[in-house]
Amino acid sequence: MSKTEDLKTKTDDQLAEQLGELKREAFNLRFQAATGQLEKASRVKEVRRSIARIKTLQTERTRSVAK
């Protein structure tokens, strides 16, 4: 199962909760990068893409409801 398919099975509340967690993680990763403590730089890219996937899915859902 792909990441997008996994997200599509979640409810709106679950997506919002996961988005909040990812945003907190992104903040922490940026903070670690600024202080030179970042161990896994590739995680920043993964988190950003996951946030984008969730936001895209939320936008698709709101547009389909609006129709």
Side-chain angles (χ1 to χ4, degrees):
M1 192 180 255
S2 73
K3 295 176 187 175
T4 307
E5 289 174 357
D6 182 39
L7 290 174
K8 286 182 180 181
T9 62
K10 295 189 176 190
T11 65
D12 291 339
D13 291 337
Q14 289 173 325
L15 286 176
E17 183 180 329
Q18 188 173 0
L19 182 62
E21 292 171 5
L22 286 168
K23 284 186 174 188
R24 274 191 293 280
E25 184 177 354
F27 172 79
N28 290 332
L29 290 171
R30 284 194 313 268
F31 193 86
Q32 288 174 7
T35 59
Q37 298 174 350
L38 186 61
E39 294 178 11
K40 199 172 176 187
S42 63
R43 184 69 184 141
V44 175
K45 186 176 182 180
E46 292 173 17
V47 170
R48 284 179 45 226
R49 287 188 176 180
S50 295
I51 290 171
R53 275 189 197 97
I54 291 173
K55 285 187 171 187
T56 301
L57 187 57
Q58 287 176 330
T59 302
E60 287 176 357
R61 287 183 180 182
T62 56
R63 285 187 178 170
S64 68
V65 169
K67 286 186 178 179

